[in-house]
CSV table of all heavy atoms in Angstrom, one decimal:
chain,number,residue,atom,x,y,z
L,22,PHE,N,98.9,93.4,114.6
L,22,PHE,CA,98.7,91.9,114.7
L,22,PHE,C,99.5,91.4,115.8
L,22,PHE,O,100.8,91.6,115.8
L,22,PHE,CB,99.1,91.2,113.3
L,22,PHE,CG,98.6,89.8,113.2
L,22,PHE,CD1,97.4,89.5,112.6
L,22,PHE,CD2,99.5,88.8,113.6
L,22,PHE,CE1,97.0,88.2,112.5
L,22,PHE,CE2,99.1,87.4,113.5
L,22,PHE,CZ,97.8,87.1,112.9
L,23,SER,N,98.9,90.7,116.7
L,23,SER,CA,99.7,90.2,117.9
L,23,SER,C,100.1,88.7,117.6
L,23,SER,O,99.6,88.0,116.7
L,23,SER,CB,98.8,90.2,119.1
L,23,SER,OG,97.8,89.2,119.1
L,24,THR,N,101.0,88.2,118.5
L,24,THR,CA,101.4,86.8,118.4
L,24,THR,C,100.3,85.9,118.7
L,24,THR,O,100.3,84.7,118.3
L,24,THR,CB,102.6,86.6,119.3
L,24,THR,OG1,102.3,87.1,120.7
L,24,THR,CG2,103.9,87.3,118.9
L,25,GLU,N,99.2,86.4,119.4
L,25,GLU,CA,98.1,85.6,119.7
L,25,GLU,C,97.0,85.6,118.6
L,25,GLU,O,96.2,84.7,118.6
L,25,GLU,CB,97.4,86.1,121.0
L,25,GLU,CG,98.3,85.9,122.3
L,25,GLU,CD,99.4,86.8,122.4
L,25,GLU,OE1,99.3,88.0,122.0
L,25,GLU,OE2,100.5,86.4,122.9
L,26,ASN,N,97.1,86.5,117.7
L,26,ASN,CA,96.1,86.6,116.7
L,26,ASN,C,96.1,85.4,115.7
L,26,ASN,O,95.2,85.2,114.9
L,26,ASN,CB,96.2,87.9,115.9
L,26,ASN,CG,95.7,89.1,116.7
L,26,ASN,OD1,96.1,90.2,116.4
L,26,ASN,ND2,94.9,88.9,117.7
L,27,TRP,N,97.2,84.6,115.7
L,27,TRP,CA,97.2,83.5,114.8
L,27,TRP,C,96.2,82.5,115.1
L,27,TRP,O,95.8,81.6,114.3
L,27,TRP,CB,98.6,82.8,114.9
L,27,TRP,CG,99.8,83.6,114.4
L,27,TRP,CD1,100.7,84.3,115.2
L,27,TRP,CD2,100.1,84.0,113.1
L,27,TRP,NE1,101.6,85.0,114.4
L,27,TRP,CE2,101.2,84.8,113.1
L,27,TRP,CE3,99.5,83.6,111.8
L,27,TRP,CZ2,101.8,85.3,111.9
L,27,TRP,CZ3,100.1,84.1,110.7
L,27,TRP,CH2,101.2,85.0,110.7
L,28,LYS,N,95.6,82.6,116.4
L,28,LYS,CA,94.5,81.7,116.8
L,28,LYS,C,93.2,81.9,116.1
L,28,LYS,O,92.3,81.1,116.2
L,28,LYS,CB,94.3,81.8,118.3
L,28,LYS,CG,95.6,81.5,119.1
L,28,LYS,CD,95.3,81.8,120.6
L,28,LYS,CE,96.6,81.7,121.4
L,28,LYS,NZ,96.3,82.1,122.8
L,29,ARG,N,93.1,83.0,115.4
L,29,ARG,CA,91.8,83.4,114.7
L,29,ARG,C,91.6,82.5,113.5
L,29,ARG,O,92.5,81.8,113.0
L,29,ARG,CB,91.9,84.9,114.3
L,29,ARG,CG,91.9,85.8,115.5
L,29,ARG,CD,91.8,87.3,115.1
L,29,ARG,NE,91.8,88.1,116.2
L,29,ARG,CZ,91.5,89.5,116.1
L,29,ARG,NH1,91.3,90.0,115.0
L,29,ARG,NH2,91.5,90.2,117.2
L,30,PRO,N,90.4,82.5,113.0
L,30,PRO,CA,90.1,81.7,111.8
L,30,PRO,C,91.1,82.0,110.6
L,30,PRO,O,91.5,83.1,110.4
L,30,PRO,CB,88.7,82.1,111.4
L,30,PRO,CG,88.1,82.6,112.7
L,30,PRO,CD,89.2,83.2,113.4
L,31,LYS,N,91.5,80.9,109.9
L,31,LYS,CA,92.5,81.0,108.9
L,31,LYS,C,92.1,82.1,107.8
L,31,LYS,O,92.9,82.9,107.4
L,31,LYS,CB,92.7,79.7,108.2
L,31,LYS,CG,93.8,79.7,107.1
L,31,LYS,CD,94.0,78.4,106.5
L,31,LYS,CE,95.2,78.4,105.5
L,31,LYS,NZ,95.0,79.4,104.4
L,32,ARG,N,90.8,82.2,107.4
L,32,ARG,CA,90.4,83.1,106.4
L,32,ARG,C,90.7,84.6,106.9
L,32,ARG,O,91.1,85.4,106.2
L,32,ARG,CB,88.9,83.0,106.1
L,32,ARG,CG,88.4,83.9,105.1
L,32,ARG,CD,87.0,83.5,104.6
L,32,ARG,NE,86.4,84.4,103.7
L,32,ARG,CZ,85.6,85.4,104.0
L,32,ARG,NH1,85.2,85.6,105.2
L,32,ARG,NH2,85.1,86.2,103.0
L,33,GLU,N,90.4,84.8,108.2
L,33,GLU,CA,90.6,86.1,108.8
L,33,GLU,C,92.1,86.4,108.8
L,33,GLU,O,92.6,87.5,108.5
L,33,GLU,CB,90.0,86.2,110.1
L,33,GLU,CG,90.1,87.6,110.8
L,33,GLU,CD,89.4,87.7,112.1
L,33,GLU,OE1,88.7,86.8,112.5
L,33,GLU,OE2,89.6,88.8,112.8
L,34,VAL,N,92.9,85.5,109.3
L,34,VAL,CA,94.4,85.7,109.3
L,34,VAL,C,94.9,85.9,108.0
L,34,VAL,O,95.8,86.8,107.8
L,34,VAL,CB,95.0,84.4,110.0
L,34,VAL,CG1,96.6,84.5,109.8
L,34,VAL,CG2,94.7,84.4,111.5
L,35,ASP,N,94.5,85.2,107.0
L,35,ASP,CA,95.0,85.4,105.6
L,35,ASP,C,94.7,86.8,105.1
L,35,ASP,O,95.5,87.4,104.5
L,35,ASP,CB,94.4,84.3,104.7
L,35,ASP,CG,94.9,82.9,104.9
L,35,ASP,OD1,96.0,82.8,105.6
L,35,ASP,OD2,94.3,82.0,104.4
L,36,PHE,N,93.5,87.2,105.4
L,36,PHE,CA,93.1,88.6,105.0
L,36,PHE,C,94.0,89.6,105.7
L,36,PHE,O,94.5,90.6,105.1
L,36,PHE,CB,91.6,88.8,105.3
L,36,PHE,CG,91.2,90.2,104.9
L,36,PHE,CD1,90.8,90.4,103.5
L,36,PHE,CD2,91.1,91.3,105.7
L,36,PHE,CE1,90.3,91.7,103.1
L,36,PHE,CE2,90.7,92.5,105.3
L,36,PHE,CZ,90.3,92.7,104.0
L,37,LEU,N,94.2,89.4,107.0
L,37,LEU,CA,95.0,90.4,107.8
L,37,LEU,C,96.4,90.5,107.3
L,37,LEU,O,97.1,91.5,107.3
L,37,LEU,CB,95.0,90.0,109.3
L,37,LEU,CG,93.7,90.3,110.0
L,37,LEU,CD1,93.7,89.6,111.4
L,37,LEU,CD2,93.5,91.8,110.2
L,38,MET,N,96.9,89.3,106.8
L,38,MET,CA,98.3,89.3,106.2
L,38,MET,C,98.4,90.0,104.9
L,38,MET,O,99.5,90.3,104.4
L,38,MET,CB,98.8,87.8,106.1
L,38,MET,CG,99.1,87.2,107.5
L,38,MET,SD,100.5,88.1,108.4
L,38,MET,CE,99.6,88.9,109.7
L,39,LYS,N,97.2,90.2,104.2
L,39,LYS,CA,97.2,90.9,102.9
L,39,LYS,C,97.1,92.4,103.1
L,39,LYS,O,97.4,93.1,102.2
L,39,LYS,CB,96.1,90.3,102.0
L,39,LYS,CG,96.3,88.9,101.6
L,39,LYS,CD,95.1,88.4,100.8
L,39,LYS,CE,95.3,86.9,100.3
L,39,LYS,NZ,94.1,86.4,99.6
L,40,LEU,N,96.6,92.8,104.3
L,40,LEU,CA,96.3,94.2,104.5
L,40,LEU,C,97.6,95.1,104.4
L,40,LEU,O,97.5,96.2,103.8
L,40,LEU,CB,95.7,94.4,105.8
L,40,LEU,CG,94.1,94.3,105.9
L,40,LEU,CD1,93.6,94.5,107.3
L,40,LEU,CD2,93.5,95.2,104.9
L,41,PRO,N,98.7,94.7,104.9
L,41,PRO,CA,99.9,95.5,104.7
L,41,PRO,C,100.3,95.8,103.3
L,41,PRO,O,100.7,96.9,102.9
L,41,PRO,CB,101.0,94.7,105.5
L,41,PRO,CG,100.3,93.9,106.5
L,41,PRO,CD,99.0,93.5,105.8
L,42,GLU,N,100.1,94.7,102.4
L,42,GLU,CA,100.4,94.9,101.0
L,42,GLU,C,99.4,96.0,100.4
L,42,GLU,O,99.9,96.9,99.7
L,42,GLU,CB,100.1,93.6,100.3
L,42,GLU,CG,101.1,92.5,100.5
L,42,GLU,CD,100.8,91.3,99.8
L,42,GLU,OE1,101.2,91.2,98.6
L,42,GLU,OE2,100.1,90.4,100.3
L,43,GLU,N,98.1,95.9,100.7
L,43,GLU,CA,97.2,96.8,100.2
L,43,GLU,C,97.4,98.2,100.8
L,43,GLU,O,97.4,99.2,100.0
L,43,GLU,CB,95.8,96.4,100.5
L,43,GLU,CG,94.7,97.3,99.9
L,43,GLU,CD,93.3,96.8,100.2
L,43,GLU,OE1,93.1,95.7,100.7
L,43,GLU,OE2,92.3,97.6,100.0
L,44,PHE,N,97.6,98.3,102.1
L,44,PHE,CA,97.8,99.6,102.7
L,44,PHE,C,99.0,100.3,102.2
L,44,PHE,O,99.0,101.5,101.8
L,44,PHE,CB,97.9,99.4,104.2
L,44,PHE,CG,98.1,100.7,105.0
L,44,PHE,CD1,97.1,101.5,105.3
L,44,PHE,CD2,99.4,101.0,105.4
L,44,PHE,CE1,97.4,102.7,106.0
L,44,PHE,CE2,99.7,102.2,106.1
L,44,PHE,CZ,98.6,103.0,106.4
L,45,LEU,N,100.1,99.6,102.2
L,45,LEU,CA,101.4,100.2,101.8
L,45,LEU,C,101.5,100.4,100.3
L,45,LEU,O,102.1,101.3,99.8
L,45,LEU,CB,102.6,99.4,102.4
L,45,LEU,CG,102.7,99.3,103.9
L,45,LEU,CD1,103.7,98.2,104.3
L,45,LEU,CD2,103.1,100.7,104.4
L,46,GLY,N,100.8,99.5,99.6
L,46,GLY,CA,100.8,99.6,98.1
L,46,GLY,C,100.1,100.9,97.7
L,46,GLY,O,100.6,101.5,96.7
L,47,THR,N,99.1,101.3,98.4
L,47,THR,CA,98.3,102.5,98.0
L,47,THR,C,98.8,103.7,98.7
L,47,THR,O,98.8,104.8,98.1
L,47,THR,CB,96.8,102.3,98.2
L,47,THR,OG1,96.6,102.0,99.6
L,47,THR,CG2,96.3,101.1,97.4
L,48,PHE,N,99.3,103.6,99.9
L,48,PHE,CA,99.6,104.7,100.7
L,48,PHE,C,101.1,105.1,100.7
L,48,PHE,O,101.5,106.2,101.1
L,48,PHE,CB,99.2,104.4,102.2
L,48,PHE,CG,99.2,105.6,103.1
L,48,PHE,CD1,99.0,106.9,102.7
L,48,PHE,CD2,99.3,105.4,104.5
L,48,PHE,CE1,99.0,108.0,103.6
L,48,PHE,CE2,99.3,106.4,105.4
L,48,PHE,CZ,99.1,107.7,104.9
L,49,LEU,N,101.9,104.2,100.2
L,49,LEU,CA,103.4,104.5,100.2
L,49,LEU,C,103.8,105.8,99.5
L,49,LEU,O,104.6,106.5,100.1
L,49,LEU,CB,104.1,103.3,99.7
L,49,LEU,CG,105.7,103.3,99.8
L,49,LEU,CD1,106.1,103.5,101.2
L,49,LEU,CD2,106.3,102.0,99.2
L,50,PRO,N,103.3,106.0,98.3
L,50,PRO,CA,103.7,107.3,97.7
L,50,PRO,C,103.4,108.5,98.6
L,50,PRO,O,104.2,109.5,98.7
L,50,PRO,CB,102.9,107.3,96.4
L,50,PRO,CG,102.7,105.9,96.1
L,50,PRO,CD,102.5,105.3,97.4
L,51,GLU,N,102.2,108.5,99.2
L,51,GLU,CA,101.8,109.6,100.1
L,51,GLU,C,102.7,109.6,101.4
L,51,GLU,O,103.1,110.7,101.8
L,51,GLU,CB,100.4,109.4,100.5
L,51,GLU,CG,99.7,110.6,101.1
L,51,GLU,CD,98.2,110.5,101.3
L,51,GLU,OE1,97.6,109.6,100.6
L,51,GLU,OE2,97.7,111.2,102.1
L,52,LEU,N,103.1,108.5,101.9
L,52,LEU,CA,104.0,108.5,103.0
L,52,LEU,C,105.4,109.1,102.7
L,52,LEU,O,106.0,109.8,103.5
L,52,LEU,CB,104.2,107.0,103.5
L,52,LEU,CG,103.0,106.3,104.2
L,52,LEU,CD1,103.3,104.9,104.4
L,52,LEU,CD2,102.6,107.0,105.5
């Protein structure tokens, strides 16, 4: 996520900000 990506639609930005939780929440034990 770049400093310029905040310009994207709010719904998309909100989803992108939730992805680290989902990714790390499921993948962390494997990491």
Side-chain angles (χ1 to χ4, degrees):
F22 192 90
S23 75
T24 49
E25 290 75 35
N26 286 156
W27 297 106
K28 301 172 186 176
R29 295 186 176 187
K31 184 178 185 301
R32 180 169 178 263
E33 182 176 350
V34 169
D35 289 345
F36 182 83
L37 288 168
M38 288 297 108
K39 291 177 182 176
L40 276 181
E42 291 179 87
E43 181 179 350
F44 177 83
L45 295 169
T47 57
F48 193 25
L49 185 56
E51 196 170 338
L52 291 172

